[in-house]
Amino acid sequence: MGVTILHQFPVENRTGPAVIELLTKRIAALGAVQHGQFLVDCETYSSVPQLGHQRTVHVLHNSEQPATVFSLLETGTKTIPLATDGLFDLLMMKMSSFYTSKKQTKAESKGPRFEIGDFCVKLGTVTVSSNFKGILVEVEYRPCIVPQMCWELMKEFLQGFLGSSVLSNPPVYFQNKMNDVYTPIDTIHQYLEHFTIFRKSPAGIRT
Amino acid sequence: MERDIEQLNSALNSVKVLRSNVRRIFDSVSNGLRADHGDDGKENKFITELQEILTTVNTNLRDVEGSVANLTTPGGPFSLGNTTYLSQETTLERQALYGQLVNSYKWTDKIREYSALAGNILAANSFNKSYKTFSTTKRRKTQTSNHNVSPEVIENIITNVDRLFPDITLTTSRPFVANPLIQASLGRVLRGHIAFKGLMIEWVVVKAHGESTDIWTESRYKVFRKVTENCHAAMCHFHSPMMPELAVRSFMHWFHSYQNLFSVPCKRCGNHLHNNLPPTWRDLRTLEPYHEECK
Ligand SMILES: [Zn+2]
C-alpha cells in the first residue's frame, strides 16, 4: 500500500464517458496497461433520535481491499475509523433499527484501473444514487509510504497526464499527515471527503 | 632457459624424423621388389627409391648432429633438493610420490604464471574506477584472509556501521555462523538485505518495508529492482580484498544516500521521473542522484 492521491478532474461541459475516454487515451499513451476495474462505494447511516446525540456512520468498500469493510463514525467532535471484515455489513443490517441509512446517498466511484511502472491509476466515474456527479482520478505510488517523501514526484506524474488542473500543494487532507505512514484508511478518508462534497453539490455536476 | 628448451625440442624433433626415415629404409629393404615397380627395369627403380631414402636419412642425420651441437650441456648434476630422498623410499605405495610431486610442482608453476598474467590484465583494465590509494605499509598490515574471519570481527564492523549511520537500523541474523545476514532499514524508504561472506559483501537485495525478508526473491516494485541492480554494481565497485572493512563502510555510506530516493530530482535533467522511475542511481563518489539514463 503506497501513498495515494485523489484528484477531482474538471468535467467542464463534457460527458462523463467522454472524459474517461480522454484520460484513458492519455494514460495509455504513457504506457499504462489496464488491469481490471475498480469500485469504491459509500453508504451513510444516522443514529435514530432515541439514541440521543446524533451520530453518523459511513460504511465504505474498496475493491483494492476486497475483504475489508471500512467504517467512519462521526460523533460530532471526532471521527473514529474502523477496519473490519465483511461481517460488518451484516452487523449494520442487524442494527437497522438504530442506524438508518439516509435515502439517496449511496455514492460510488468506479471505472478502469491501470498500472504503469510502480504507479496504479484509477479513473473513477462518481455517481450519487445513480446520478453522475463527476470524475475522480486516484493515483497510487506503491513503493512509497510517506507522503512527504514522494509528493513532488507524484505531482510531476499527475501533472504529466492531468495537466494544469493539478494543484501545486498537497491536498488539504494531507496537511497534518505529510510525515505519517500512509495506510488504506487514508484513501477511504479522501474518498469520503470527496463524496461528501459531491452529495452536497446541487444539480448534479460539480465543476 | 626458454631458448634451451626450444633447442632441446627441435633436437628431439629431428631425432624423431631420423628414426621414422630409417624405419622406411628397413621397410623398403624387407619388402624387396613390389608389384608397383612394374615389369620394365624394376631393379633400377628399386635402387633409385632406396637411394632417395638414404639421401633423406643422410640429411636428417646432419640435422640431428647440427641441433645436438647447438645444445648447451647442463653444468653439473641437477640439484633436486630434498626430493632426492624420495628416490630412497622403499615402501611400495610411496614410490609414486615423486611423480605426484613433479605434477603438483608443474601446477603451482602454471598457477603462478596465469595469476601473474591475470594480475597484469586486471591492473590494465581496472573495473575499479576509484580514487583509493593504498600505501604499501598499510596493505601489509591488513592483508588477512577476509572470508574466514572470526564472528567477533564482523560483529565489530557491523556495530561500527550501525553507530555511523543513525538512520539505518540494522538487524543481524546468522543462519551460518561466520556469515551474517543483515537487514538494513533505511528510514522509511527501503530495506536492504545484505549477505556477508566473512568480511565481504556477497549479495544485496533491496525491497520495500512490507515485503518478505527472503534474500532470493526480488522486490515486486520496479524502483527497488533497479536499486538492487545498482547495489550490485556498487558492491563490486567498493569491493576491496585488501581493506574489507573500508569496503563495507564505503558501501554503507553510498547505500545511505538512498534515504532521499523518492524526494530528490535528478541532478542532470531536473525531473523526478524518467520512465516512471525516480533517480535510482547514486554517483559513487559524490552520491548525487541520477536517472539510469542520465548518469
Ligand atoms: Zn534525469
Side-chain angles (χ1 to χ4, degrees), chain B residues 266 269 291 294:
Chain B
C266 165
C269 69
H291 288 120
C294 298

Side-chain angles (χ1 to χ4, degrees), chain B residues 196-227:
Chain B
F196 282 80
K197 175 87 181 161
L199 285 180
M200 286 190 302
I201 296 178
E202 191 170 54
W203 188 251
V204 184
V205 185
V206 172
K207 295 191 196 188
H209 270 285
E211 292 190 271
S212 76
T213 56
D214 152 31
I215 64 163
W216 301 117
T217 54
E218 48 181 14
S219 172
R220 78 177 88 111
Y221 304 115
K222 285 203 168 96
V223 56
F224 295 132
R225 293 206 290 267
K226 210 41 144 191
V227 172

Side-chain angles (χ1 to χ4, degrees), chain B residues 213-272:
Chain B
T213 56
D214 152 31
I215 64 163
W216 301 117
T217 54
E218 48 181 14
S219 172
R220 78 177 88 111
Y221 304 115
K222 285 203 168 96
V223 56
F224 295 132
R225 293 206 290 267
K226 210 41 144 191
V227 172
T228 301
E229 235 172 65
N230 291 333
C231 280
H232 291 172
M235 165 181 97
C236 295
H237 169 85
F238 291 117
H239 173 66
S240 152
M242 302 303 175
M243 306 176 78
E245 192 179 341
L246 178 71
V248 173
R249 249 186 296 128
S250 314
F251 176 82
M252 290 311 286
H253 188 60
W254 177 86
F255 179 78
H256 179 247
S257 68
Y258 277 114
Q259 59 173 325
N260 55 14
L261 175 64
F262 300 119
S263 50
V264 286
C266 165
K267 189 83 182 169
R268 165 76 56 86
C269 69
N271 292 330
H272 280 279

